[in-house]
Amino acid sequence: MEAKIDKIKQQLQSQGYKLTPQREATVRVLLENEEDHLSAEDVFMLVKEKAPEIGLATVYRTLELLSDLHVLEKMNFGDGVARYDLRNDSSHHHHHHLICVQCGAVDEIMEDWLLPLEERLEQQYNFKVLDHRLDFQGICHRCNDKAKNEKNDKNE
Amino acid sequence: MEAKIDKIKQQLQSQGYKLTPQREATVRVLLENEEDHLSAEDVFMLVKEKAPEIGLATVYRTLELLSDLHVLEKMNFGDGVARYDLRNDSSHHHHHHLICVQCGAVDEIMEDWLLPLEERLEQQYNFKVLDHRLDFQGICHRCNDKAKNEKNDKNE
DNA sequence: TTCTCTGCAAATGGTTTGCAAGTAG
DNA sequence: CTACTTGCAAACCATTTGCAGAGAA
């Protein structure tokens, strides 16, 4: 955790930015919730618990800054709010999303399934791929299981 | 074109909605610009040319309604505006997007490359896929060609 | 009539910005 | 000193909503 923060600190400083207490608190929240896809508001509320004096605008500015530095990825699942994800070390980010339309959960798949497709794109369409996103909407395994259990119980 | 409008009219009527002049004008604009991914504002401005009295709210309501009926697909490329795409007849929509980060163009690929992945998802992750989206960001063939030509010209 | 639909204006809500004050090198 | 930051409040802007009037069945 500290190592990761140090690394981000260096990334900031190499561009002339500082790791202020507010930024550090924001980064810590992000690190502690690496699994989730937090919105700016989510981050704001979590940061407020450890640094109550922080302002929402600062959180937005920090998230924007970290996105510019490619520390974060800003994404949009179509629900009207931007969500942020820590990028991993690998130069490419290759995770895909499973978005449950029933419970709203967003799971990730870390495998990269698209390399063959990207090669095909470059050759067949003369399109130089820099990034991609692949999201699936559907019913997640939790909701599937729940539905199955309720069916078995037969007490409706 | 008229056939497509008739079909949409039927889809509306089957759900108790009417194909009003405003809605028809909106649909015509969508049909005439099937290639593009228009925003609500884009549609509004184009519709205004043929029906100047129309209101922006009506366009939004029409786009929303047509999305609910699965005539349109509402999508989000992360630029802060929703964009709309006519769906094809096929029950599934299986096009992917090539988004050029240089000129902003959005091209479509109509092939469906994801069926094998969807099968794997259902088996391996117990995730029932209902829909998906696959977007690539990169440099489109036009910008690639332009860059190549400028290089050849060697007049900087 | 009754229910849908429309245009307008106002409200909403996530995000951004202007600004004066705070802070680090 | 100088440049970067911050909190606050106001501004922005895409989208939604309330409402009274218009229109179709």
Side-chain angles (χ1 to χ4, degrees), chain B residues 55-74:
Chain B
L56 178 56
T58 301
V59 171
Y60 271 104
R61 282 186 280 230
T62 301
L63 294 172
E64 178 71 20
L65 177 59
L66 294 176
S67 294
D68 289 347
L69 294 177
H70 300 290
V71 172
L72 293 181
E73 186 186 356
K74 183 178 183 176

Side-chain angles (χ1 to χ4, degrees), chain B:
Chain B
M1 169 105 163
E2 302 307 317
K4 291 187 182 180
I5 291 185
D6 265 0
K7 185 173 173 197
I8 293 170
K9 183 176 183 179
Q10 285 171 19
Q11 286 179 272
L12 283 168
Q13 291 181 337
S14 73
Q15 305 291 318
Y17 299 112
K18 301 163 194 167
L19 183 63
T20 63
Q22 290 92 333
R23 287 180 184 163
E24 183 172 336
T26 304
V27 169
R28 282 184 189 278
V29 162
L30 259 359
L31 283 168
E32 286 163 9
N33 297 275
E34 234 175 318
E35 301 301 294
D36 305 325
H37 300 75
L38 301 176
S39 68
E41 203 82 27
D42 294 337
V43 174
F44 176 57
M45 288 193 301
L46 290 168
V47 174
K48 269 229 148 175
E49 293 174 8
K50 25 180 90 172
E53 73 289 355
I54 199 170
L56 178 56
T58 301
V59 171
Y60 271 104
R61 282 186 280 230
T62 301
L63 294 172
E64 178 71 20
L65 177 59
L66 294 176
S67 294
D68 289 347
L69 294 177
H70 300 290
V71 172
L72 293 181
E73 186 186 356
K74 183 178 183 176
M75 64 191 88
N76 202 313
F77 293 131
D79 60 349
V81 289
R83 298 184 176 277
Y84 299 84
D85 228 18
L86 278 171
R87 286 202 171 203
N88 290 320
D89 298 329
S90 49
S91 55
H92 281 61
H93 81 294
H94 284 312
H95 56 252
H96 314 313
H97 294 109
L98 303 183
I99 305 166
C100 182
V101 297
Q102 215 156 92
C103 68
V106 180
D107 296 321
E108 287 189 1
I109 297 177
M110 297 307 298
E111 304 172 58
D112 186 15
W113 290 346
L114 297 183
L115 274 183
L117 294 187
E118 294 192 355
E119 280 165 23
R120 194 162 145 197
L121 265 182
E122 310 218 353
Q123 288 162 20
Q124 198 167 331
Y125 290 85
N126 187 21
F127 185 88
K128 171 93 186 105
V129 177
L130 298 175
D131 203 353
H132 65 233
R133 68 174 287 173
L134 173 56
D135 300 338
F136 294 93
Q137 281 102 312
I139 313 286
C140 71
H141 63 94
R142 290 170 293 269
C143 290
N144 272 334
D145 289 347
K146 205 193 296 173
K148 198 188 293 173
N149 289 338
E150 279 165 12
K151 205 170 178 183
N152 288 346
D153 289 353
K154 278 192 185 161
N155 46 352
E156 141 77 312

